[in-house]
Amino acid sequence: MARLDPHSYTESSQPLAKHVALTLYFDFAARTIHGSALLTLPAAHTGPLLLDTRSLLIHSVLDPHTTGPIPFSFPSDPTPDPVLGQPLCLSLSAQSAALVVFSTSPSSSALQWLSPAQTASKAQPFVYTQCQSIHARSLFPCQDTPAARLVFSARLNLPHPLTAVMAAARAAAPRDPVPGEAGSACPDALWCAAGRSVEEFIMDRPIPPYLFAFAAGDIAARDVGLRTRVHAEGGAALLDAAAREFAGAEEMIRAGEALFGPYEWGRFDLLVLPPSFPYGGMENPMMVFLTPTVIKGDASGAQVVAHELAHSWTGNLITNKTNEHFWLNEGFTTYAERRIVEVVQGEEMAALNMGIGWRGLNDEMDRFKDNMEFTKLKPNLEGIDPDEIYSQVPYEKGFQFLWRIERQVGRPTFDVFLKKYIAKFKFQSIDTETFLEFLKANLPGIENQIDLKQWVEGTGIPPDAMEPLSSIYSKIVSLSNEFKLGNIPKKQEVANWSGQEWELYIENLPKSVEPSQIAALDAHYRLSESRDYEVKVAFLQLAISSGCKEYFGEVERTLKQVGRMKYLRPLYTALVQGNAEEAKLSARRIFAEARDTYHPIAQGVVESILAKHS
Ligand code: BES
Ligand code: ZN
């Protein structure tokens, strides 16, 4: 018996399911989904089959052909692992399929249920999923490792007037329920009750479970481009703004295809979520999920869209086998994102993003100075919750590694290599060793030119990483250095700065400065009131670390408006990290008041920040 992945109970000696058919009945009042998952194996199997579950109630397991019961047990009963959950062991006898009947629970971490008050339109409830990295198991029983790719079909039963979207293709228009079609998932009396409708979807390309995604609510849509439509709850004004913000999507897809090969997913739709969405974006295939904070009215959401689009090649086509190889996913995507940005927004903007990334990578070295394992490209994650150690390291060290290789072999050669790599491993889940072998085979001699072992297994930032110098980057960094001498940038120096320039400027300031300087900077440029959350949060973080109490109110408003972890993390950390008792107390009070509005993943992350500094 050997596990395939430190974050899954999946056994390497057992077959991986190739298909799952899901039937899901949504009970908004009880914040519960009653469902069934029909898992199909490549061939008949006899013996145990371990599945991952967490916060699921398993009602029964049936043989779909005979409808007879399949014996099952919970080997770790009664103490589920807080991170991994509880393995469900089916005992199969020459069976190639099993129907697991289950219910989610209100604490299922893949789901956020929003009351009407928590939505933009305030009229209807909303629910959405976030399965990366290991939350799919709280939604349906599965082999929840990216090593296991599967295709699926899904049948969703919703109350009027809610509609659903999925990271999948729509198989049929919404229709009335039909008796009998729910099988064991739920009684016909519920399934066919008045005011229910059924929506069906299909994903015919094999995906890892973390890319399974849906949302349901009062969702409407606008066309943006040939293969792109934007969906959102929140009414016409939000949709119009989103459609404007994302108008460049088609140009980006074409840029991606020119660089990395055909776009393999058919549609590239976007879903704008309510503000509690815990990430900037999530690359769910065919339907990228986005935070509403990317809509700023200045087309700057482009970077996030470029990133999630880039995953269509690096991540969704080639997936990391386990989270220890996460850099294959995010490092490649960060590299690919910047190549797309370079085409559509120019070299300067790409260089600026690289500069922000470099700053971020250096900050992570400080964060992990007592735990250098997490500065490795390929860390040991045995016993570690991936949400806990989420960092810029796989993104930015991964980016630096690929950029280093590009510098060594030259861009034309590297571009040929990239296309070949994607074509070779598409629809597979691979590990770092597989990448390295392919690298050495296709760029002969590379191992003599670059210390691959140091890049992959070493801690810290390798000496041949490179600070991404460009004129705009150097200018901003020198203005940040000027600030230390008491100089605030002049109006004409910042005249055409967008959010990204400000972000880089603020992030290059010392971590704590004279409160009077903070006040002076804000008096000039109103950074604490910026509509751009990247700028506002960077500024507020600096203000709190510098002991400026007058910003507590703005920090509290921000922490209650948005649930994106990129903003929650630095603000809560800044509040609790110093010695100020008052700041610590506010952090606890604000969290107690805002907790229910955060996604379960974000709740966990904030709880651990508060616990670390108690
Ligand atoms: N796949 C990630 C988000 C993610 C990572 C969710 C790990 C859960 C676990 C996504 O592609 C991402 O990186 N989003 C960034 C966008 C940014 C890099 C442009 C984010 O959310 O900030
Ligand atoms: Zn990503």
Side-chain angles (χ1 to χ4, degrees), residues 17-241:
K18 290 284 164 243
H19 184 277
V20 61
L22 289 159
T23 303
L24 305 172
Y25 175 92
F26 288 66
D27 181 344
F28 277 84
R31 300 192 158 193
T32 298
I33 293 171
H34 301 296
S36 66
L38 173 58
L39 291 155
T40 306
L41 303 172
H45 174 69
T46 298
L49 185 74
L50 281 169
L51 302 176
D52 294 297
T53 76
R54 195 174 58 216
S55 318
L56 292 181
L57 209 64
I58 306 297
H59 303 298
S60 57
V61 183
L62 306 169
D63 179 327
H65 302 298
T66 64
T67 71
I70 290 176
F72 66 94
S73 62
F74 294 103
S76 76
D77 229 18
T79 42
D81 183 278
V83 178
L84 300 186
Q86 199 165 33
L88 166 65
C89 184
L90 314 187
S91 300
L92 299 182
S93 39
Q95 284 147 320
S96 63
L99 180 73
V100 187
V101 183
F102 65 93
S103 299
T104 65
S105 70
S107 63
S108 286
S109 56
L111 291 165
Q112 188 179 19
W113 299 89
L114 300 176
S115 65
Q118 288 172 272
T119 64
S121 57
K122 312 279 178 220
Q124 294 291 341
F126 193 91
V127 66
Y128 70 91
T129 61
Q130 167 58 43
C131 288
Q132 198 178 16
S133 292
I134 53 168
H135 300 278
R137 66 191 63 180
S138 73
L139 194 54
F140 63 96
C142 57
Q143 291 159 318
D144 193 7
T145 165
R149 286 176 163 265
L150 72 184
V151 300
F152 70 80
S153 61
R155 182 177 283 166
L156 278 48
N157 182 305
L158 299 157
H160 284 311
L162 306 190
T163 56
V165 295
M166 275 199 91
R170 195 174 274 283
R175 57 165 175 83
D176 289 337
V178 175
E181 68 179 346
S184 322
C186 100
D188 272 345
L190 278 183
W191 187 264
C192 300
R196 305 290 306 189
S197 65
V198 170
E199 303 199 29
E200 290 169 298
F201 298 89
I202 169 161
M203 170 50 78
D204 60 6
R205 280 149 253 214
I207 58 149
Y210 76 82
L211 290 178
F212 180 86
F214 62 70
D218 187 7
I219 299 172
R222 286 264 188 295
D223 280 328
V224 177
L226 278 178
R227 16 184 178 182
T228 303
R229 190 171 294 152
V230 60
H231 302 255
E233 71 83 30
L238 178 70
L239 274 175
D240 289 338

Side-chain angles (χ1 to χ4, degrees), residues 442-504:
N442 286 276
L443 299 175
I446 193 82
E447 66 275 28
N448 306 323
Q449 296 153 333
I450 299 177
D451 189 342
L452 300 176
K453 195 170 153 73
Q454 180 179 42
W455 272 98
V456 170
E457 293 170 29
T459 57
I461 304 177
D464 53 341
M466 192 165 100
E467 182 172 10
L469 295 174
S470 68
S471 61
I472 177 124
Y473 175 82
S474 311
K475 174 84 195 145
I476 292 171
V477 173
S478 83
L479 285 173
S480 301
N481 291 335
E482 281 284 308
F483 184 87
K484 296 171 200 163
L485 308 172
N487 300 325
I488 285 176
K490 298 189 192 61
K491 277 246 153 33
Q492 67 271 24
E493 286 172 318
V494 304
N496 43 26
W497 279 15
S498 69
Q500 271 142 324
E501 281 89 349
W502 275 113
E503 190 187 345
L504 185 64

Side-chain angles (χ1 to χ4, degrees), residues 130 132 279-281 283 307-308 311 326 330 390 395 564:
Q130 167 58 43
Q132 198 178 16
Y279 291 97
E283 67 270 26
H307 180 92
E308 305 316 334
H311 273 299
F326 190 48
E330 295 299 348
Y390 176 81
Y395 292 76
R564 183 174 175 188

Side-chain angles (χ1 to χ4, degrees), residues 528-602:
S528 64
E529 293 159 29
S530 175
R531 286 183 58 218
D532 187 328
Y533 276 93
E534 309 289 324
V535 175
K536 181 186 188 132
V537 170
F539 177 81
L540 291 174
Q541 179 186 15
L542 176 67
I544 298 302
S545 317
S546 307
C548 301
K549 285 193 199 149
E550 62 273 31
Y551 290 102
F552 279 18
E554 195 56 51
V555 169
E556 175 164 356
R557 268 191 293 284
T558 307
L559 290 172
K560 288 181 172 174
Q561 267 159 7
V562 294
R564 183 174 175 188
M565 292 192 287
K566 187 174 182 191
Y567 308 143
L568 303 186
R569 261 201 203 91
L571 291 180
Y572 277 109
T573 305
L575 284 173
V576 295
Q577 197 168 51
N579 297 322
E581 230 15 73
E582 188 187 343
K584 287 193 194 196
L585 285 173
S586 324
R588 281 170 216 291
R589 178 186 53 78
I590 296 167
F591 181 56
E593 290 167 11
R595 188 180 186 281
D596 284 350
T597 67
Y598 296 157
H599 189 283
I601 302 172

Side-chain angles (χ1 to χ4, degrees), residues 420-439:
K420 199 169 163 195
Y421 167 70
I422 292 165
K424 161 97 180 165
F425 295 109
K426 67 179 185 180
F427 296 113
Q428 294 183 40
S429 303
I430 68 165
D431 57 17
T432 304
E433 290 63 41
T434 306
F435 165 73
L436 289 177
E437 260 167 51
F438 186 80
L439 178 76

